């Protein structure tokens, strides 16, 4: 049994006329007749009775009709699904996100993408900078939102999204509240909560060494949420990306002397042609209005 035989059967069951059924199926009448006969032989009984010009369905044909309709429905569903997957309408994307990238900026972008492509599901994975190249090259993730601090990987392509300043975060009522910006030297004199995932951590340590500063480090952690909670509770201050601020009560000021900023990018494997779903995401990421997101994030973080 094949899909064509099922299709011919249903056409004949609906029309009870070999000529019209053949026309609906775009085949010759002899071809349709032979296909029906082969189907009857396979099933071991007649599906239609021919009485001169009249054709009627048998009890066997009537009992099988619902099953054939279900098979034909499945055939259409399989073909539609195949077209959707091939075109990228249905797909699953695995996207890595560095833990230092705040959700303020990416939530709106992902939400608008999902609204435009409801059949593409996205799974977000927490990744570290060092793990991004091997994860992308192995196919474990399809793309990564990252803040590269160093030379680009030769096998990856980077789409620049926005630039983000590094700020010093502190609790309300802190002495930094009266400043418009804070020099790194002043931060070094404060009790400090050390972010182990900070891209500028090495530069900060080198600054301390160059200026013979021994900073009072209260805690070190890889967890951004723990760090921000400790800062809010007055344990110490910390340097972090502006839009990674999750606690709305935290205050922050830009860092000067030196000014610190990072570029946030979307990284993918540098292939000539990406899969359809990933191509749609790349297009969306590239055309998204990040300036609006940065403004909203800044307002949310400072409110």
């Amino acid at each position: 049994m094949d899909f064509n035989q099922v299709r011919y059967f249903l056409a004949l069951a609906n029309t009870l006329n070999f000529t019209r059924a053949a026309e609906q199926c775009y085949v010759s009448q002899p071809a349709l007749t032979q296909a029906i006969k082969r189907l009857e032989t396979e099933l071991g009984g007649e599906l239609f009775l021919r009485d001169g010009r009249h054709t009627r369905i048998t009890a066997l044909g009537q009992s099988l009709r619902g099953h054939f309709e279900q098979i034909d429905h499945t055939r259409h569903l399989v073909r539609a699904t195949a077209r959707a997957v091939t075109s990228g309408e249905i797909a699953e994307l695995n996207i890595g996100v560095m833990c230092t990238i705040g959700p303020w900026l990416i939530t709106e972008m992902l939400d608008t993408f999902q609204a435009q492509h409801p059949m593409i599901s996205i799974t977000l994975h927490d990744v570290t900078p060092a793990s991004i190249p091997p994860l992308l090259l192995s196919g474990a993730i399809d793309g990564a939102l990252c803040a590269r601090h160093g030379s680009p990987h030769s096998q990856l392509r980077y789409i620049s999204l926005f630039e983000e300043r590094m700020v010093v975060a502190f609790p309300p009522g802190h002495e930094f509240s009266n400043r418009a910006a804070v020099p790194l030297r002043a931060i070094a004199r404060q009790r400090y909560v050390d972010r182990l995932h900070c891209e500028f951590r090495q530069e900060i340590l080198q600054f301390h060494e160059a200026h013979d500063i021994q900073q009072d480090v209260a805690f070190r952690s890889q967890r951004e949420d723990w760090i921000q909670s400790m800062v809010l509770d007055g344990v110490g201050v910390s340097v972090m990306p502006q839009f990674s601020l999750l606690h709305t009560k935290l205050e922050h000021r830009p860092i000067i002397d030196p000014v610190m900023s990072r570029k946030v990018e979307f990284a993918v494997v540098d292939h000539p042609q990406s899969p359809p779903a990933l191509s749609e995401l790349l297009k969306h990421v590239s055309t998204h209005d990040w300036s609006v997101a940065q403004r909203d994030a800044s307002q949310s973080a400072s409110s």
Side-chain angles (χ1 to χ4, degrees):
M1 183 191 307
D2 60 37
F3 282 135
N4 281 332
Q5 288 174 315
V6 172
R7 186 163 58 95
Y8 299 161
F9 169 87
L10 292 174
L12 186 54
N14 290 331
T15 62
L16 295 178
N17 184 286
F18 278 84
T19 301
R20 289 204 298 274
E23 290 173 351
Q24 286 185 7
C25 295
Y26 299 99
V27 296
S28 67
Q29 182 176 329
L32 183 137
T33 301
Q34 290 301 315
I36 295 295
K37 286 182 178 179
R38 288 194 300 272
L39 184 59
E40 290 175 329
T41 299
E42 183 178 346
L43 297 174
E46 290 186 320
L47 299 172
F48 298 94
L49 291 177
R50 298 92 169 162
D51 182 13
R53 294 185 177 180
H54 301 287
T55 301
R56 56 192 176 88
I57 192 168
T58 66
L60 176 61
Q62 192 63 44
S63 65
L64 294 176
R65 186 172 184 173
H67 296 294
F68 284 145
E69 288 174 344
Q70 186 174 1
I71 290 172
D72 193 58
H73 174 73
T74 302
R75 174 179 70 90
H76 286 291
L77 184 60
V78 167
R79 288 186 173 179
T81 302
R83 286 194 299 268
V85 171
T86 303
S87 66
E89 294 175 26
I90 298 178
E92 179 178 344
L93 293 174
N94 290 283
I95 303 300
V97 184
M98 281 175 46
C99 64
T100 63
I101 296 179
W104 297 108
L105 296 179
I106 65 173
T107 300
E108 181 190 1
M109 181 274 292
L110 292 174
D111 188 43
T112 55
F113 176 79
Q114 203 279 329
Q116 296 171 16
H117 305 277
M119 302 303 289
I120 299 178
S121 63
I122 294 180
T123 301
L124 302 178
H125 303 270
D126 187 12
V127 296
T128 61
S131 70
I132 289 175
L135 287 173
L136 284 171
L137 294 172
S138 68
I141 60 175
D142 301 293
L145 285 156
C146 58
R148 180 170 50 87
H149 195 58
S151 301
H153 193 283
S154 60
Q155 294 175 273
L156 301 183
R157 175 162 62 98
Y158 300 88
I159 299 173
S160 181
L161 305 182
F162 58 88
E163 190 161 350
E164 179 178 18
R165 289 196 69 169
M166 302 296 289
V167 300
V168 57
F170 48 87
H174 192 275
E175 62 180 273
F176 287 166
S177 299
N178 299 320
R179 299 182 181 224
V182 182
L184 189 58
R185 184 186 292 270
I187 297 170
R189 298 193 185 99
Q190 297 286 322
R191 197 159 187 246
Y192 193 71
V193 183
D194 190 6
R195 295 174 53 248
L196 295 178
H197 280 317
C198 181
E199 299 93 329
F200 291 89
R201 187 169 183 269
Q202 193 60 37
E203 284 88 336
I204 293 173
L205 293 176
Q206 290 172 353
F207 179 89
H208 292 167
E209 184 178 352
H211 293 80
D212 197 22
I213 296 173
Q214 185 67 39
Q215 188 163 43
D216 179 12
V217 177
F219 292 99
R220 296 181 176 89
S221 178
Q222 297 175 335
R223 287 281 298 267
E224 298 290 311
D225 52 345
W226 292 359
I227 290 168
Q228 294 191 29
S229 292
M230 285 189 280
V231 172
L232 185 62
D233 289 340
V235 173
V237 303
S238 188
V239 171
M240 61 187 60
Q242 179 181 357
F243 303 133
S244 71
L245 292 167
L246 298 175
H247 288 285
T248 57
K249 292 182 180 179
L250 271 178
E251 294 190 34
H252 65 277
R253 295 293 184 272
I255 298 171
I256 55 174
D257 299 328
V259 173
M260 295 181 177
S261 65
R262 67 176 189 174
K263 290 184 178 179
V264 176
E265 301 168 314
F266 191 79
V268 293
V269 177
D270 191 14
H271 284 321
Q273 187 172 2
S274 300
L278 182 58
S279 294
E280 290 299 320
L281 181 59
L282 289 173
K283 187 189 308 178
H284 186 77
V285 165
S286 300
T287 58
H288 182 72
D289 187 358
W290 292 102
S291 64
V292 174
Q294 289 180 77
R295 183 197 63 207
D296 293 344
S298 181
Q299 290 174 350
S300 298
S302 60
S303 61

